[in-house]
Amino acid sequence: MCSPSATLTVWAGSWLAGCSAPDDILEALYAWAPRHTIAAGDPLTGGRDDLPWSSRDNLSGTGVMALLKVIREAMTQPGAQLRLVLPVPGDVRGLPTGTAFAADAIEAGEGMLFGVPGEEGTGLIPQWPDDDTLQWTVYSTPIPAAPGQDMSLGEAEHTMREAVRDAADALMRLHTTAAGATVDSDPRELIEAELADYSRHDYPDSIPLRARRILDSADHVAAILTVAQREPASSPTSATAIGAQEDLLRPLWDAIRAARLVAVHAAARGNS
């Protein structure tokens, strides 16, 4: 699983569908951090959800069971949806523009929205105040009526199959010195280590098989790209080289993000 927000979106969807228990969600979240807290991002939200108000300088909060209570209450409304957001600068699909949630989600690179599209809802963003604690900040925020059209599961699966090949090609190109000689170190062990980190995070049994394949493929591509960027031979030494590396890898990272959104949303809805 790529992020705490993705984990929570998938497992909350399974729980709300009656396929998982609250303890299953907590166990999945504990794979990210041994301690979870929740607090409101502003006094108004704190009063609405009976949560302490947290600021960036005071990341205290209540126990994680309050997190499930917030989700359950928001999702009782007819038409309510769970949505994952994985924004980056230049790609803010699914975000309610001009909101504190949007600004903080871009900074975090992730977040979760739940509620009725087109109405006021709730957002969650995880933060790490320290290595052992994951703080979930709750926002009152509008839910965009049209977050952007996801590709189909079939399209996402096809895209990830091609991305595995393209990522391997990119790794080979970036793992070659300017003189044209291949670096002696073998990146396969590094890729396996990255994949092992992803595999620590379980999926609910209710997740559609195709969505699971897409997420596994996306993790594989991400592991290859991460190693490609970290390898000494791939470190660019000029502005031109930096731009060339970004142009090579950015489309693959974009494809990973789009495929993960498709798969997570399908899993949260129980679609095959």
Side-chain angles (χ1 to χ4, degrees), residues 2 9 83-87 91 93-94 111 147 150-151 153 156 214-215 218 254-267 269:
C2 65
T9 304
R83 292 181 185 168
L84 173 68
V85 292
L86 298 172
D91 182 0
R93 74 185 78 178
D150 284 343
M151 70 178 87
L153 284 173
I214 293 168
L215 290 171
D254 290 345
I256 291 170
R257 195 165 59 254
R260 282 171 167 165
L261 289 171
V262 172
V264 167
H265 291 158
R269 296 189 301 263

Side-chain angles (χ1 to χ4, degrees), residues 113-127:
L113 290 166
F114 45 96
V116 180
E119 298 183 8
E120 191 75 8
T122 302
L124 284 172
I125 295 177
Q127 299 169 301

Side-chain angles (χ1 to χ4, degrees), residues 140-206:
S140 296
T141 185
I143 308 298
Q149 185 64 41
D150 284 343
M151 70 178 87
S152 69
L153 284 173
E155 291 170 328
E157 191 167 23
H158 176 72
T159 298
M160 284 299 95
R161 282 199 299 265
E162 291 190 334
V164 171
R165 181 197 63 216
D166 293 343
D169 290 344
L171 175 61
M172 183 62 66
R173 290 176 59 182
L174 295 176
H175 202 234
T176 302
T177 65
T182 302
V183 177
D184 291 336
S185 60
D186 188 343
R188 286 177 293 184
E189 291 185 5
L190 299 175
I191 294 171
E192 288 299 322
E194 291 292 327
L195 286 173
D197 192 49
Y198 283 119
S199 67
R200 293 187 302 107
H201 305 287
D202 294 330
Y203 301 98
D205 292 338
S206 59

Side-chain angles (χ1 to χ4, degrees), residues 40-123:
D42 58 79
L44 180 63
T45 302
R48 183 195 69 179
D49 294 322
D50 193 25
L51 294 171
W53 174 35
S54 171
S55 71
R56 292 177 183 271
D57 298 324
N58 180 28
L59 290 175
S60 60
T62 67
V64 72
M65 288 304 294
L67 182 65
L68 303 187
K69 178 177 180 288
V70 169
I71 295 173
R72 169 69 83 181
E73 290 178 352
M75 292 299 293
T76 58
Q77 304 172 72
Q81 298 178 359
L82 294 168
R83 292 181 185 168
L84 173 68
V85 292
L86 298 172
V88 295
D91 182 0
V92 294
R93 74 185 78 178
L95 291 183
T97 58
T99 62
F101 172 83
D104 291 347
I106 293 171
E107 182 176 339
E110 64 175 288
M112 179 180 174
L113 290 166
F114 45 96
V116 180
E119 298 183 8
E120 191 75 8
T122 302

